[in-house]
Amino acid sequence: YSVLPNEYGAVAVAMLLGDKSAVSDDTLVALKSAGIYHLFAVSGLHLSIWVLGVFSFLRKLGLSARFNSALAVLFTLMFMALTGFTPSVSRAGIMLIVLMLGNIAGREAHSLNSLGASLSVILAVNPMAAASVSLLLSLGATLGIVTLYQYIDKILNRRLANISKRSFRKPIKAVLSVFFVSLCATVY
């Protein structure tokens, strides 16, 4: 709030942490009318971006992968607490923690195992979560990405290898990857 005063800071905090308490009613109504109110819904994607940023920053400092993973676990827990342990953030947080614990143990974590472990923890804490449509949609989308995209990625790599200029391959793959990841999530 000190860096971005007034409504600007309130909107930034709402977008980063989901806390809309300082955003004025007029702004909330305007965002709902514009159809972009969902920007205030903090999701697992937010957490993943934050953790990736923290992990990358720590790696640039030359810290070991195990130490980075331990700090990423602590950051994930803090972020989950800051956002009130919302279901979407908790699902992503548990999955990220499982992945990072694999790094700490010196084992490569498998995404499907991490997804299963996070689902097990969520259901152990709240068995009624199995009836949650948001959990089922989130689980299905993640399952689609984890299981289908690996095959699409191999095909993309083979097809893009035919492009003679290497400088074109990366941006083309980035655009196609966004499309196909979304498609995989939607299919499931």
Side-chain angles (χ1 to χ4, degrees):
Y1 290 117
S2 63
V3 175
L4 290 172
N6 305 324
E7 196 71 10
Y8 298 111
V11 169
V13 168
M15 289 178 71
L16 293 172
L17 300 174
D19 179 9
K20 300 178 282 286
S21 61
V23 180
S24 72
D25 290 338
D26 291 340
T27 300
L28 292 176
V29 168
L31 292 170
K32 284 180 186 176
S33 322
I36 57 173
Y37 185 74
H38 64 278
L39 293 175
F40 292 160
V42 177
S43 67
L45 176 64
H46 286 81
L47 175 60
S48 300
I49 292 169
W50 276 105
V51 169
L52 180 63
V54 167
F55 197 81
S56 298
F57 174 73
L58 293 172
R59 187 179 329 151
K60 287 182 181 180
L61 293 177
L63 302 173
S64 73
R66 285 183 176 174
F67 186 72
N68 290 353
S69 296
L71 289 177
V73 166
L74 291 174
F75 179 84
T76 300
L77 290 169
M78 286 181 1
F79 190 88
M80 289 168 64
L82 271 173
T83 58
F85 293 98
T86 60
S88 60
V89 173
S90 295
R91 282 191 294 272
I94 292 167
M95 191 170 174
L96 284 167
I97 288 170
V98 169
L99 286 168
M100 293 300 158
L101 290 177
N103 284 346
I104 292 169
R107 309 271 315 228
E108 184 177 335
H110 189 271
S111 297
L112 202 52
N113 290 343
S114 299
L115 184 60
S118 65
L119 181 62
S120 298
V121 170
I122 289 166
L123 293 177
V125 171
N126 179 10
M128 296 306 292
S132 166
V133 174
S134 66
L135 174 66
L136 296 174
L137 288 171
S138 173
L139 177 69
T142 306
L143 191 60
I145 293 167
V146 168
T147 58
L148 286 180
Y149 185 72
Q150 61 187 331
Y151 301 109
I152 292 172
D153 189 50
K154 288 178 186 175
I155 294 168
L156 279 177
N157 287 334
R158 276 194 307 237
R159 300 285 182 172
L160 293 176
N162 296 333
I163 296 175
S164 59
K165 280 203 159 213
R166 292 184 84 177
S167 61
F168 289 137
R169 284 185 212 160
K170 197 170 185 176
I172 291 171
K173 182 172 183 193
V175 170
L176 290 174
S177 294
V178 168
F179 171 76
F180 283 115
V181 165
S182 297
L183 181 67
C184 292
T186 304
V187 165
Y188 269 68

